[in-house]
Amino acid sequence: MTEKRFKEGKTNTEKIRLNRFLSDAGLCSRREADRLIEQGKVIVNHEVAVMGQKVTIDDVVEVNGKVISRDEEQIVIAFNKPVGVECTTDTENPDNIVDYIGYPKRIYPIGRLDKRSQGLILLTNDGSLVNHILKASNYHEKEYVVTVDKPVNDAFLNQMSSGVKILGQTTRPCKVTQVNKHTFHIVLTQGLNRQIRRMCEVLGYRVQKLKRIRIMSVHLGNLPIGQYRNVTDRELKEIMEK
């Protein structure tokens, strides 16, 4: 199920900024990388790195004594997460998503989908893609099908779509449409912790089933639970254009 896709414009001889190198390796964001560099915790070819420094994939980059590598092959997969799998790379957690998938190369999830929820989550080895998708100011859409414990009514739909106060803030306006008596579709452009569950609880409802069916241009479709597929070049192109 693997497919080689090389990161655009990234060859062995091309020099890129060190903070981008660390981000692409999945270590941290570019801003966090800058802080590590400022603190003298980044070593390039056995010398302390400086702000704005450029490196190639062949340079030896270390952070806190650990060699950091960036794979030229870009991996982006779509996975239908079952209930019970946790979106963590911590292998000490028996339910971690990485061991469950068993992918032959190092990958990590883009964002989260809580343990009780199922559906679409993307995984990659490209830190810059993670930052692009998760950047809150980009208003990227994520679509869910939600089943609750009581009949859905117009008041509930209107309140959910106009914004609900959770975690000390009011959620962004969103698209909410009823599917049947107990089920609705919701399209979010933000990703607060357990956002849909918290919104429903504030309005007196309890989520019984939550399934994510779309992230931006990537649809879950008929991908079986517990299986993954490669994100297509067309899907990836549409993601990067947003």
Side-chain angles (χ1 to χ4, degrees), residues 20-221:
R20 178 181 169 188
F21 180 97
L22 295 175
S23 173
D24 283 358
L27 181 71
C28 57
S29 69
R30 294 190 192 186
R31 183 175 298 177
E32 291 166 338
D34 285 337
R35 282 198 288 267
L36 290 171
I37 296 167
E38 286 179 342
Q39 293 167 3
K41 295 180 178 179
V42 183
I43 307 296
V44 177
N45 298 329
H46 311 297
E47 295 184 1
V48 177
V50 296
M51 291 295 294
Q53 184 169 348
K54 292 187 176 183
V55 295
T56 73
I57 197 170
D58 293 326
D59 288 317
V60 179
V61 180
E62 300 173 71
V63 177
N64 292 324
K66 180 182 178 182
V67 175
I68 306 300
S69 62
R70 188 202 72 194
D71 198 333
E72 271 198 299
E73 180 190 343
Q74 184 189 48
I75 300 165
V76 190
I77 65 171
F79 174 58
N80 188 349
K81 186 189 87 67
V83 171
V85 173
E86 292 198 60
C87 295
T88 177
T89 57
D90 180 4
T91 53
E92 292 186 4
N93 183 328
D95 300 318
N96 78 83
I97 193 169
V98 175
D99 283 345
Y100 184 94
I101 294 175
Y103 199 84
K105 290 199 173 185
R106 186 179 70 92
I107 55 173
Y108 39 88
I110 302 177
R112 299 182 65 84
L113 190 60
D114 72 64
K115 188 173 184 177
R116 291 183 291 160
S117 301
Q118 69 182 75
L120 181 63
I121 186 160
L122 304 180
L123 296 97
T124 187
N125 65 342
D126 188 348
S128 60
L129 179 63
V130 175
N131 295 333
H132 173 74
I133 292 178
L134 297 185
K135 190 174 181 181
S137 60
N138 287 341
Y139 281 68
H140 291 148
E141 289 189 346
K142 296 174 184 176
E143 185 174 356
Y144 304 79
V145 179
V146 187
T147 300
V148 289
D149 61 340
K150 297 191 299 185
V152 172
N153 55 37
D154 288 342
F156 171 81
L157 297 174
N158 290 335
Q159 287 177 294
M160 289 287 286
S161 62
S162 60
V164 179
K165 190 167 183 178
I166 61 170
L167 302 172
Q169 60 183 296
T170 300
T171 58
R172 289 176 183 166
C174 59
K175 302 173 187 175
V176 186
T177 54
Q178 187 167 356
V179 176
N180 58 42
K181 189 175 181 180
H182 289 268
T183 305
F184 63 93
H185 273 175
I186 182 168
V187 180
L188 301 181
T189 57
Q190 65 186 140
L192 302 178
N193 181 254
R194 297 177 60 250
Q195 180 171 342
I196 296 172
R197 294 184 187 276
R198 292 179 190 274
M199 291 171 72
C200 289
E201 286 169 7
V202 168
L203 301 180
Y205 287 74
R206 186 171 297 277
V207 172
Q208 293 185 321
K209 183 178 180 181
L210 193 155
K211 179 180 180 181
R212 183 155 64 195
I213 60 173
R214 178 172 66 89
I215 299 173
M216 301 172 68
S217 61
V218 183
H219 293 257
L220 182 64

